[in-house]
Amino acid sequence: MKILNVSNIFFTLPYFFGDQLSHFSKKGYDITVTCGPDDNLRSFADKHSVKLKEIFIPRTFALKEDWKAFMELYKFIKEEHFDIVCGHTPIGGLLAVTAAKLAGIKKRVFFRHGLVYETSHGLKRMILINAERFASLMATNVVCVSHYLIERSVQDSLTNRSKMMLLNEGSCNGIDSEGRFNPSNIDRDLLTSIRKKWKIPEDAFVIGYAGRMVQDKGIEELVTAFKIIRSKVPNAFLLLVGMLEERDAITEQTREEIKSNPHIIHTGLILHNVEYYYSLMDVLVLCTHREGLGQTLIEAAAMGVPTLTTSHTGSRDAIRNNVTGMFVNMGDPDSIFEKVMMYVADEKLRKLHGKQGRDFVMRTFKQELVWDEIERKIYGITNLAGTRS
């Protein structure tokens, strides 16, 4: 069976797929990944034993570039005769399922990882909503990564409920909770060396964040809240793991605070050993304004780290309030301060939520559970021990 996965930027691939591609390649599936050019692509494809096709796909709508990418995708799909085409990211997914439809591919799957329009306004919002609707129309199935996204898709008339599906309880890949994201597998010497590299004291209380450094992720209020926390907790550190972006960029004032504050550590993008950075954290904060699910919340929980996040988007499905973490109010630094201070004051509560978070991930987001769902629901297996349909 020949399968094509289309995304527009390399950064998404480890989060969307992890070791899933290797898993299915070993089972005999013929998998190709299409993505925009990146120095890391070849090694990624080789590691996971998949084929590679580089096609530049813009991250924002640009008529000329979109048309060029669409034609390249269409010709490639037509030539290769794929059995299934899966489209990821708003523009990459839209172009992929549309090209596949015109190329006569019978099974076209659009992965809805989030809804960009939730924080957009005016004409841009209308364009993004209609792009989601059109992608849904072109797809034979729409995979939503959380219960929230299914509810919101129905509410905003994006997709018929009958066309949407969830993989187990959510996510597009699950978590390697027994191997990589397992606190029992952490090399203590390597952890110590990473702590020393970033000059984090042993007695520091570390508030962490992992992901894109943009306003939609609540970086502005997190940095503001941290300054309040520091006035009460002198040994507090803020560990920011992720790359700064120009789209939806944080303010210059916040950038300067991150750069100049000796208690704020910005690592940039970490491609390897991110689990060690979770191990340095006492709590992870994702005060997001929009979210499909919140992969970093699940990764942190798997590492036994309690999480704080907002409750109005898909991130609500990645935690259990007052069990694995707590909800904070969107855009409210005081709410972040209040909840972080609860963990500072109560180590037993922090450790309890961390333990319960790992238990929750093991029950709900273990990668093997999600992979079985992909094989059964997307690749068309009626019997996992049987033959391909």
Side-chain angles (χ1 to χ4, degrees):
M1 180 178 286
K2 293 185 68 173
I3 300 159
L4 175 66
N5 282 288
V6 179
S7 186
N8 63 357
I9 186 170
F10 172 77
F11 173 80
T12 63
L13 300 186
Y15 292 96
F16 289 172
F17 302 112
D19 290 329
Q20 176 193 138
L21 299 175
S22 301
H23 171 77
F24 286 119
S25 293
K26 289 175 183 176
K27 296 192 76 169
Y29 291 95
D30 183 352
I31 299 177
T32 301
V33 173
T34 291
C35 186
D38 190 280
D39 292 340
N40 297 293
L41 265 178
R42 175 48 58 192
S43 60
F44 178 85
D46 291 344
K47 175 183 177 182
H48 296 289
S49 302
V50 296
K51 297 174 183 175
L52 176 65
K53 175 69 173 179
E54 292 188 9
I55 296 177
F56 173 73
I57 302 173
R59 296 185 67 190
T60 56
F61 286 106
L63 190 59
K64 184 178 179 181
E65 290 82 0
D66 288 344
W67 177 250
K68 182 180 178 182
F70 173 78
M71 290 307 299
E72 285 190 63
L73 277 170
Y74 171 75
K75 290 176 183 177
F76 180 60
I77 293 169
K78 191 77 172 175
E79 289 170 0
E80 292 294 325
H81 304 289
F82 291 102
D83 297 295
I84 304 173
V85 172
C86 300
H88 304 261
T89 66
I91 297 177
L94 169 64
L95 297 181
V97 294
T98 304
K101 169 75 172 177
L102 295 182
I105 305 302
K106 292 184 178 180
K107 197 158 191 178
R108 307 172 302 276
V109 184
F110 177 64
F111 278 75
R112 182 163 286 143
H113 296 276
L115 296 170
V116 181
Y117 68 78
E118 286 188 298
T119 52
S120 301
H121 306 280
L123 179 61
K124 180 180 178 182
R125 181 182 176 88
M126 183 179 70
I127 291 171
L128 291 170
I129 288 176
N130 283 303
E132 291 285 337
R133 288 172 178 161
F134 191 74
S136 298
L137 182 65
M138 292 295 100
T140 55
N141 300 96
V142 176
V143 175
C144 293
V145 299
S146 65
H147 290 279
Y148 167 81
L149 283 180
I150 290 180
E151 294 171 13
R152 187 64 189 263
S153 297
V154 172
Q155 177 186 324
D156 292 346
S157 302
L158 304 181
T159 315
N160 291 333
R161 185 180 288 273
S162 61
K163 188 180 274 193
M164 291 185 287
M165 67 173 73
L166 199 68
L167 301 175
N168 201 49
E169 288 297 311
S171 176
C172 61
N173 181 57
I175 289 290
D176 180 11
S177 52
E178 291 188 342
R180 183 182 180 188
F181 294 100
N182 184 345
S184 299
N185 294 337
I186 289 295
D187 182 323
R188 308 313 297 183
D189 291 336
L190 178 55
L191 183 64
T192 298
S193 69
I194 293 174
R195 181 184 290 274
K196 288 181 178 178
K197 174 184 177 180
W198 297 105
K199 299 178 182 178
I200 302 174
E202 289 286 344
D203 66 343
F205 187 93
V206 180
I207 302 146
Y209 167 85
R212 296 182 300 114
M213 299 279 291
V214 293
Q215 291 200 39
D216 275 357
K217 298 295 185 180
I219 299 299
E220 300 285 340
E221 52 265 41
L222 175 56
V223 171
T224 299
F226 178 70
K227 289 191 288 185
I228 306 172
I229 293 166
R230 268 274 296 140
S231 68
K232 303 291 185 181
V233 186
N235 68 330
F237 279 74
L238 178 59
L239 177 60
L240 302 172
V241 180
M243 59 184 182
L244 291 165
E245 292 198 3
E246 292 307 314
R247 188 180 70 167
D248 190 33
I250 59 177
T251 63
E252 189 57 39
Q253 180 181 357
T254 299
R255 285 188 184 221
E256 185 56 36
E257 179 66 26
I258 291 170
K259 183 179 179 181
S260 62
N261 191 324
H263 280 246
I264 298 180
I265 298 160
H266 179 216
T267 67
L269 177 63
I270 299 294
L271 291 175
H272 307 289
N273 295 327
V274 70
E275 62 273 22
Y276 282 81
Y277 290 81
Y278 290 127
S279 288
L280 293 171
M281 300 174 188
D282 291 289
V283 57
L284 179 127
V285 181
L286 177 62
C287 37
T288 181
H289 299 189
R290 66 171 180 87
E291 201 73 33
L293 177 64
Q295 185 79 1
T296 60
L297 294 168
I298 301 170
E299 291 175 351
M303 295 302 296
V305 179
T307 55
L308 301 179
T309 192
T310 48
S311 63
H312 71 294
T313 74
S315 56
R316 74 186 187 193
D317 294 320
I319 79 167
R320 291 293 178 263
N321 191 34
N322 295 318
V323 176
T324 72
M326 292 181 282
F327 289 140
V328 295
N329 300 329
M330 185 183 74
D332 186 353
D334 290 333
S335 179
I336 299 169
F337 165 74
E338 175 190 344
K339 297 300 171 63
V340 169
M341 291 304 294
M342 288 177 66
Y343 284 136
V344 172
D346 193 340
E347 183 180 4
K348 287 184 178 179
L349 177 67
R350 177 171 58 80
K351 289 185 175 180
L352 176 63
H353 283 185
K355 179 185 180 303
Q356 292 174 164
R358 177 162 174 77
D359 293 343
F360 169 60
V361 171
M362 292 292 286
R363 292 193 311 271
T364 312
F365 297 109
K366 194 174 178 181
Q367 65 183 10
E368 289 79 9
L369 298 173
V370 178
W371 293 350
D372 285 350
E373 290 277 280
I374 290 172
E375 192 166 27
R376 182 170 62 86
K377 292 182 176 180
I378 297 177
Y379 294 174
I381 305 298
T382 55
N383 181 346
L384 292 178
T387 58
R388 296 181 180 86
S389 60

